[in-house]
Amino acid sequence: MTQEPKDAAGAASTAALRILKKYPNRRLYDTQASCYITLADVKQMVLDGIEFEVRDAKTSEDLTRSILLQIILEEEAGGMPMFSARSLAQIIRFYGHAMQGVMGNYLEKNLQAFVDMQGRLAEQASGLYDPKSFTPEMWTQLMSGQAPVMQGLMGSYLEQSQQLFQQMQEQMQKQAGNLFGGFPPPPAQK
């Protein structure tokens, strides 16, 4: 979940990094708590904002992403899936495509913008409810009752998303200019 530290400040933050070891028998071992844990425990660590890395016990290979993907797969299989088959197919189409790296960055920034919007909504409604106790159905009811507030927040989110997309396009144009800058322009059409 975090990258290797590059300076003394980064080294201090690594001290708080929790290391989980994955053994060949598929069990996860929490080195800080000195006990075996489940994927549900790892999910709770994510929800609690605990920084961690999952390492293969033999090779020390970083397995964090694969464990997080396992949690997402379990969540998608149960209850209310977040991704439709269409959206998953669209994501798959970006693998191996020239836009793969740009798309990953775009999705990450867009998710952060959505989390920021959710935080602002929680601040505006603070004192009215406990946000951790809300189910998806309760959020839907709150949203429908907060139409003007939601319109403003969604408008802000969509504007931010559009800005991120424009930044992505500008970045691509710059990269294309650097890559193809030495070639003569195409002949003018008659």
Side-chain angles (χ1 to χ4, degrees):
M1 285 188 55
T2 61
Q3 296 182 3
E4 295 297 318
K6 292 184 174 58
D7 57 17
S13 69
T14 303
L17 182 67
R18 204 153 167 177
I19 303 297
L20 309 177
K21 291 185 179 181
K22 185 170 186 282
Y23 286 90
N25 62 3
R26 297 173 41 119
R27 293 188 74 186
L28 293 167
Y29 186 79
D30 183 344
T31 59
Q32 181 179 340
S34 299
C35 65
Y36 286 101
I37 61 173
T38 64
L39 280 180
D41 297 322
V42 177
K43 176 186 171 189
Q44 190 58 51
M45 290 172 67
V46 171
L47 294 173
D48 292 342
I50 297 171
E51 293 290 324
F52 65 89
E53 279 186 3
V54 181
R55 297 265 171 203
D56 184 280
K58 282 187 178 179
T59 65
S60 293
E61 177 187 356
D62 187 353
L63 302 175
T64 309
R65 290 181 69 260
S66 67
I67 294 297
L68 294 172
L69 285 168
Q70 271 186 280
I71 293 169
I72 290 170
L73 183 60
E74 284 187 4
E75 290 295 316
E76 286 291 306
M80 281 179 44
M82 190 180 303
F83 298 102
S84 67
R86 183 177 176 188
S87 64
L88 289 171
Q90 288 172 334
I91 290 170
I92 290 169
R93 287 183 191 109
F94 276 101
Y95 285 97
H97 189 276
M99 295 291 295
Q100 180 176 339
V102 176
M103 186 60 172
N105 190 28
Y106 173 74
L107 287 174
E108 187 173 339
K109 287 181 179 180
N110 218 324
L111 280 172
Q112 186 58 51
F114 190 80
V115 167
D116 294 344
M117 180 191 72
Q118 187 181 21
R120 287 193 301 270
L121 177 65
E123 283 176 18
Q124 289 178 354
S126 66
L128 300 175
Y129 64 91
D130 176 14
K132 291 182 181 178
S133 67
F134 260 40
T135 64
E137 294 80 19
M138 293 172 76
W139 269 110
T140 302
Q141 287 177 350
L142 177 69
M143 298 304 140
S144 64
Q146 300 288 327
V149 172
M150 279 309 296
Q151 285 175 350
L153 285 173
M154 284 305 288
S156 172
Y157 167 71
L158 291 174
E159 182 179 315
Q160 196 171 5
S161 181
Q162 184 178 11
Q163 289 172 354
L164 287 171
F165 188 74
Q166 287 172 342
Q167 288 172 358
M168 181 178 73
Q169 284 181 314
E170 290 168 6
Q171 181 183 8
M172 287 175 24
Q173 287 173 347
K174 233 185 258 184
Q175 288 174 349
N178 291 339
L179 187 61
F180 300 113
F183 293 101
Q189 297 284 338
K190 292 184 181 184

